[in-house]
Amino acid sequence: GQQLNQSPQSMFIQEGEDVSMNCTSSSIFNTWLWYKQDPGEGPVLLIALYKAGELTSNGRLTAQFGITRKDSFLNISASIPSDVGIYFCAGQELGGSEKLVFGKGTKLTVNP
Amino acid sequence: GAGVSQSPSNKVTEKGKDVELRCDPISGHTALYWYRQSLGQGLEFLIYFQGNSAPDKSGLPSDRFSAERTGGSVSTLTIQRTQQEDSAVYLCASSSRGFGGYTFGSGTRLTVV
């Protein structure tokens, strides 16, 4: 099945730095979501985007739904150690069912 | 319950045995999904139940995999004649219809030896 192209695959940053990751798709999506997964847990929803061009913030997190509806990015500002984890983008294809397609994840390591 | 509950949290089984994984979704959520996450990989869609509609089984990797959802609530994923490549974390999620954000359980880590 389709998968989203998520990059980078991993990031090693210093505490306080900003982080950016993105996802692209070959097909149009009508919903983009960003999840975070901690070790031994299921992914937890961070931000949901429903309209092309939409820019949404959740604390230090900001995500945007690309104008072309084929991409999305997630920014984390002023990173802290608890930001460590794997971040997944996910989307629902236009005209598709409610099931989500996921990227392979970005593993974030924050050095104190 | 307050969240999606999965059991067991860990399962070690011998190659060739059958296993059953259970998911108890959030009360009132009409949609239930099963995904598989292999080491270092993203989430691979397996099967999706929505209300009383026929399930979307398009992601099941082989006929050894099956799932059912009884009474529109609890779901069981069954893997017959397990193989080593079935080793993975199996995640269940539920959602309200029309809302794209799932709530995931903590998963069942399956190890086939």
Side-chain angles (χ1 to χ4, degrees):
Chain A
Q2 164 157 213
Q3 274 200 317
L4 301 176
N5 298 312
Q6 185 172 352
S7 63
Q9 188 173 4
S10 62
M11 302 183 75
F12 297 83
I13 62 169
Q14 293 296 125
E15 183 177 358
E17 290 183 355
D18 297 344
V19 170
S20 184
M21 57 193 80
N22 69 83
C23 266
T24 60
S25 169
S26 57
S27 57
I28 292 173
F29 280 62
N30 61 18
T31 303
W32 282 95
L33 306 115
W34 286 91
Y35 286 84
K36 182 192 178 198
Q37 186 177 31
D38 292 325
E41 299 295 327
V44 173
L45 181 66
L46 298 174
I47 292 180
L49 302 155
Y50 300 104
K51 284 171 37 178
E54 181 180 355
L55 183 71
T56 297
S57 293
N58 178 7
R60 294 177 296 105
L61 277 60
T62 302
Q64 184 159 32
F65 191 142
I67 289 290
T68 64
R69 304 173 80 175
K70 293 183 177 181
D71 64 314
S72 177
F73 71 74
L74 174 71
N75 288 343
I76 305 173
S77 63
S79 58
I80 59 178
S82 62
D83 290 335
V84 165
I86 302 177
Y87 292 79
F88 291 99
C89 62
Q92 287 178 312
E93 288 184 87
L94 182 67
S97 73
E98 291 180 11
K99 69 186 183 206
L100 291 178
V101 177
F102 282 82
K104 290 193 174 184
T106 295
K107 184 175 181 180
L108 179 64
T109 302
V110 180
N111 297 315
Chain B
V4 177
S5 179
Q6 290 188 245
S7 61
S9 55
N10 279 285
K11 177 72 176 179
V12 180
T13 190
E14 292 182 351
K15 178 181 172 182
K17 300 274 183 157
D18 298 352
V19 294
E20 284 189 352
L21 312 180
R22 176 188 168 105
C23 173
D24 202 340
I26 291 174
S27 178
H29 277 188
T30 57
L32 186 148
Y33 312 81
W34 284 97
Y35 282 78
R36 177 168 72 174
Q37 185 176 26
S38 301
L39 187 64
Q41 296 297 310
L43 279 69
E44 175 191 6
F45 168 76
L46 296 177
I47 188 169
Y48 155 49
F49 297 89
Q50 175 57 269
N52 295 321
S53 303
D56 176 352
K57 304 179 183 180
S58 60
L60 294 178
S62 78
D63 59 8
R64 296 187 296 106
F65 288 72
S66 63
E68 61 178 23
R69 188 179 185 191
T70 54
S73 181
V74 172
S75 177
T76 303
L77 177 69
T78 301
I79 309 173
Q80 296 178 309
R81 305 181 302 282
T82 52
Q83 303 294 312
Q84 287 187 325
E85 62 262 28
D86 299 334
S87 297
V89 175
Y90 289 81
L91 290 161
C92 175
S94 69
S95 73
S96 300
R97 186 178 183 90
F99 174 56
Y102 302 170
T103 300
F104 281 90
S106 296
T108 294
R109 180 175 296 280
L110 176 66
T111 304
V112 182
V113 297

